[in-house]
Amino acid sequence: MSPFYRNTALLLVPLVLFLTTFDLVAGATSFSGIHVQMFNNLSSGSDLTVHCKSRDDDLGVHLVRFSKGFYEFEFSVNIWKTTLFFCSFQWPNAFHWFDIYSFHRDADLCTNCIWKVNETGPCLLDLHNSKKYDICYEWSK
Ligand SMILES: *[C@@H]1O[C@H](CO)[C@@H](O)[C@H](O)[C@H]1NC(C)=O
Ligand SMILES: *[C@@H]1O[C@H](CO)[C@@H](O)[C@H](O)[C@H]1NC(C)=O
């Protein structure tokens, strides 16, 4: 290798590092925040106790009254696009878990993610198509 090419190769290393860093920062700012909201749709008419967490955040325990009560929170998707919030849902004689926001599952479905929670599990409002709460899931095992 001639000295010219060796020097060029050495120059490329910081350039690639710079571009990678720039891309990560640009990627982070191109995401808007995510808003998650959930309503108590329990047919029994019970109040619902919700406790949501991510790997880094514990959002605390919240009581969602039947049936007009709701709980909501906001966050930004992380630069690795691995954002995951999971919640426990509790009412008399019942305790369940569900991933209320998973980037991999929900990125194409919502940035304003609105759920109704009943005994069977949560249903997401389909903002793009039916405009109904018909994207339904069962509780996590
Ligand atoms: C649950 O949600 C559905 C769909 O919005 C609604 O028709 C129904 O009345 C609700 N039921 C209760 C018990 O809140
Ligand atoms: C809960 O919602 C699902 C999906 O809409 C529905 O099939 C189910 O009957 C509901 N369960 C209760 C107990 O209301």
Side-chain angles (χ1 to χ4, degrees), residues 40-49 63-69 90-92 117-119:
N40 178 346
N41 198 224
L42 292 173
S43 61
S44 62
S46 303
D47 289 342
L48 176 67
T49 301
L63 187 69
V64 182
R65 298 218 177 265
F66 181 83
S67 61
K68 298 281 158 52
Q90 222 179 323
W91 64 92
V117 177
N118 81 2
E119 280 81 351

Side-chain angles (χ1 to χ4, degrees), residues 98 100 115-118 120-124 135-139:
F98 186 70
I100 205 69
W115 297 86
K116 282 200 167 181
V117 177
N118 81 2
T120 322
C123 294
L124 178 67
I135 304 175
C136 295
Y137 298 89
E138 294 186 351
W139 298 115

